[in-house]
Amino acid sequence: MNAIFVMLLGLAAMFLGYVFYSKFIAEKIYKLDPNFKTPAHEFEDGVDFVPTNKYVLWGHHFTSVAGAAPIIGPAIAVIWGWVPAFLWVIFGTIFFAGVHDAGAIWASNRNKAKSMGNLTGDVVSKRAQTLFMIVIFLVLLMVNAVFATAISGLLVKFPSSVIPVWGAIFVALIIGQIIFRKWMGLGAISVLGVVALYLLIWAGPSAPLALPETIGGLTDNATWVLILFGYAAIASLLPVWMLLQPRDYINGLQLFIGLILLYAAVLLLGPDMTAPAFNTNLPEDTPSMLPLLFVTIACGAISGFHGLVASGTTSKQLDKETDLRFVGYFGAIGEGSLSLATIIAACAGFATLADWEAVYSSFGQGGVAAFVEGGANIISQGVGLDNEIAETLLTVMAVLFAGTTMDTGLRLQRYIFQEWGNIYNISWMQKALPATLLAVISCVALAFGAGSDGSGGLAIWPLFGTTNQLLAGLTLMVITVMLVRLGRPMYVTLLPLIFLLIMTVFALFIQLKGFYMQENWFLFGLDIVVLVAAVWIALEATSALSNLKKEQKS
């Protein structure tokens, strides 16, 4: 099948989802109120609580939740064929991710910008809150440690991306000052930031930078990991307007320009989907598509990490409650469009089926490399851009998104330690600097605990998909209980919740068997912890819903 048809069908479906379904959700389910005083105004402090233009906030939310995951997941999942991946991305974006992301912002916004962990204690039970926060901590630990590994690997493999990646931070700092001090209109700032970013991308191949292979006994990968965590720690302590918002906003614009370039190249080139629609020639180590497809593709269909961002940083910057339809639901649409582009790049960017099968020789292959290689081939042939520059552009896109996710992820992990400080009355843990240090130490300990090159986070990465999707289900659970309390229809969140819990628990049992056969007792034990937490929280939520129903009848 021609990739043009796949692209147009996917984009049209997501556009209609935003126009019609998100409007229904906003008006009939969440009942957004433009006059509601948001926490950004109620608790404005110039650091975390900052009322923000909805376009800038969309950039923050979208790029924080995107990261590399909407590239990695779909680019791995197409091993089962491009049709299953395509259907899950499209339907997941419209009926799962948009509802989840907008709902998490709404729930937090209506409760003084509390995180999903804190909300669980108020809405479900204190026991559920304790379990939920453990799951949240595990997800953040995995994301931060593994994304640092992914970024360092790309910086080593593509040295032409080093100048654009780090130069983008200085561009963002300048843009942040201009926006905050209102020296220019947003349109002029957007043009300035994008031009600066693309000049850096153009300059990257001319001046590639690579670290020495070893520095003080550490490999170049390990050195980059330490540098990245040092940067993320500083970024997480700065006021959101200074770096987080402008970096995310410019990255969001850069992504859409990159997507437009890729989609335009598809229109001009008209490549066929080289990969099979349904792959019947699977490598021997490939697991069953059901339920693994639904945890392999998380970001781009639905992801629990989005709920952490939505309730952790986004809700603290919401200017008007009605903005959350654009910020949350359209943010999910943006991520879905990135996943769609990834599917096309990974399935239509190779000349022959044999070339594609050489990349997908075993399960877990593909990922960012397939997206960069396949996408660069389409762009260079479609619009005539030099292949090395196209590779640099797509690599920078992936690295910048992974970097913005790390920025937000470490800030969220700091919030978790501060919340634990409040819960257990540990005064020093409630302060930003000690909490940040604890977050960094825990991530670095994981990164280097099982690998001297800083890739130790990969040790627990096999559980990320299931843990992350469990988190999405639990977030939907909290939103569902809130809707029942308000006497509103709950089916729009309950049906996705039931589907996710079934698939996640199913996948956890399959992984449990695999870890047992591999005698991987660490992951076997961790899988049991996650599984028990899932069942326990589900029972707590069921009890809360049952009690609410009884109260409403009496």
Side-chain angles (χ1 to χ4, degrees):
M1 181 177 290
N2 194 280
I4 294 177
F5 176 76
V6 177
M7 178 188 76
L8 294 179
L9 181 62
L11 292 177
M14 288 189 282
F15 172 76
L16 292 174
Y18 178 71
V19 172
F20 296 107
Y21 195 59
S22 74
K23 183 179 180 182
F24 165 73
I25 296 297
E27 295 179 356
K28 304 299 182 183
I29 306 299
Y30 299 141
K31 297 185 179 180
L32 305 183
D33 181 3
N35 298 316
F36 180 81
K37 187 175 182 179
T38 66
H41 288 283
E42 185 177 357
F43 306 112
E44 184 173 359
D45 62 4
V47 179
D48 293 318
F49 292 86
V50 180
T52 304
N53 176 286
K54 72 176 183 179
Y55 298 105
V56 176
L57 184 55
W58 171 85
H60 157 70
H61 179 80
F62 167 49
T63 55
S64 293
V65 301
I71 296 174
I72 296 172
I76 290 175
V78 293
I79 196 168
W80 289 298
W82 65 262
V83 169
F86 173 82
L87 292 176
W88 174 228
V89 163
I90 300 305
F91 285 101
T93 296
I94 296 170
F95 298 108
F96 287 67
V99 174
H100 171 276
D101 289 20
I105 301 174
W106 168 75
S108 179
N109 181 65
R110 286 292 173 132
N111 289 275
K112 301 185 182 299
K114 288 184 177 180
S115 69
M116 293 313 302
N118 263 337
L119 275 176
T120 305
D122 296 340
V123 174
V124 182
S125 70
K126 292 299 180 183
R127 288 189 299 270
Q129 178 187 15
T130 300
L131 292 166
F132 201 166
M133 290 186 71
I134 291 172
V135 175
I136 290 172
F137 182 77
L138 283 173
V139 169
L140 290 173
L141 195 61
M142 294 178 195
V143 167
N144 291 332
V146 173
F147 275 26
T149 302
I151 295 170
S152 65
L154 287 170
L155 291 176
V156 171
K157 185 175 181 179
F158 299 101
S160 62
S161 67
V162 173
I163 285 180
V165 166
W166 292 100
I169 296 171
F170 293 100
V171 172
L173 286 168
I174 296 170
I175 295 296
Q177 293 292 329
I178 295 173
I179 293 176
F180 184 73
R181 304 186 189 285
K182 299 179 180 178
W183 290 339
M184 287 185 190
L186 190 59
I189 295 170
S190 301
V191 172
L192 177 66
V194 168
V195 169
L197 193 58
Y198 276 91
L199 283 174
L200 288 169
I201 291 173
W202 174 79
S206 302
L209 291 178
L211 293 177
E213 291 187 5
T214 57
I215 301 177
L218 294 175
T219 65
D220 47 2
N221 272 291
T223 304
W224 275 126
V225 168
L226 291 177
I227 292 171
L228 286 164
F229 276 119
Y231 157 74
I234 295 170
S236 71
L237 289 169
L238 293 175
V240 291
W241 62 265
M242 189 175 289
L243 178 58
L244 194 69
Q245 286 180 356
R247 176 166 153 81
D248 291 354
Y249 176 65
I250 295 299
N251 285 350
L253 292 177
Q254 183 258 154
L255 169 69
F256 263 83
I257 293 172
L259 285 178
I260 290 170
L261 185 62
L262 180 56
Y263 284 138
V266 170
L267 284 173
L268 292 171
L269 183 63
D272 288 326
M273 300 293 281
T274 305
F278 297 92
N279 193 6
T280 57
N281 186 30
L282 293 168
E284 291 184 1
D285 63 344
T286 307
S288 169
M289 182 177 71
L290 187 70
L292 271 300
L293 171 69
F294 302 102
V295 297
T296 301
I297 300 179
C299 295
I302 182 171
S303 165
F305 182 73
H306 294 202
L308 303 185
V309 176
S311 64
T313 57
T314 304
S315 63
K316 294 178 174 65
Q317 302 170 60
L318 196 66
D319 184 29
K320 296 179 181 178
E321 187 174 66
T322 48
D323 290 349
L324 73 81
R325 178 190 173 199
F326 180 80
V327 173
Y329 197 100
F330 193 66
I333 294 293
E335 186 162 85
S337 66
L338 174 57
S339 290
L340 175 62
T342 298
I343 292 170
I344 293 172
C347 295
F350 295 91
T352 66
L353 177 59
D355 292 335
W356 183 85
E357 288 179 336
V359 173
Y360 288 89
S361 57
S362 64
F363 184 73
Q365 298 300 308
V368 176
F371 167 73
V372 171
E373 183 181 348
N377 288 338
I378 292 173
I379 290 174
S380 61
Q381 294 176 42
V383 298
L385 192 65
D386 180 78
N387 191 269
E388 186 179 8
I389 293 178
E391 281 190 346
T392 301
L393 186 151
L394 295 177
T395 302
V396 170
M397 182 190 297
V399 171
L400 288 181
F401 285 134
T404 54
T405 300
M406 271 192 70
D407 292 358
T408 303
L410 202 66
R411 187 181 289 261
L412 292 172
Q413 206 166 357
R414 184 245 292 178
Y415 291 163
I416 291 292
F417 279 110
Q418 288 180 294
E419 287 177 3
W420 277 337
N422 289 323
I423 292 170
Y424 300 109
N425 198 28
I426 305 173
S427 58
W428 63 269
M429 196 184 290
Q430 299 171 23
K431 298 177 181 178
L433 183 57
T436 300
L437 289 175
L438 286 174
V440 172
I441 289 170
S442 61
C443 290
V444 171
L446 175 61
F448 287 90
S452 60
D453 61 349
S455 63
L458 295 174
I460 61 173
W461 186 249
L463 274 174
F464 171 76
T466 44
T467 308
N468 185 51
Q469 296 304 70
L470 168 63
L471 188 58
L474 300 181
T475 299
L476 287 170
M477 190 178 291
V478 172
I479 299 169
T480 301
V481 175
M482 286 184 61
L483 290 174
V484 172
R485 282 186 173 179
L486 294 169
R488 298 178 189 174
M490 63 176 181
Y491 63 89
V492 296
T493 55
L494 183 62
L495 294 179
L497 158 63
I498 293 171
F499 180 85
L500 275 181
L501 286 183
I502 290 173
M503 291 300 161
T504 301
V505 172
F506 188 10
L508 281 167
F509 275 114
I510 290 176
Q511 288 182 318
L512 194 66
K513 179 183 177 181
F515 297 145
Y516 177 80
M517 298 296 291
Q518 298 164 14
E519 298 185 356
N520 189 331
W521 305 121
F522 173 69
L523 288 182
F524 181 83
L526 196 57
D527 193 307
I528 291 176
V529 170
V530 175
L531 189 57
V532 169
V535 174
W536 196 337
I537 297 173
L539 291 174
E540 292 282 347
T542 302
S543 175
L545 282 171
S546 178
N547 291 335
L548 278 174
K549 289 291 186 182
K550 289 177 182 178
E551 291 175 7
Q552 291 174 351
K553 289 180 180 179
S554 62

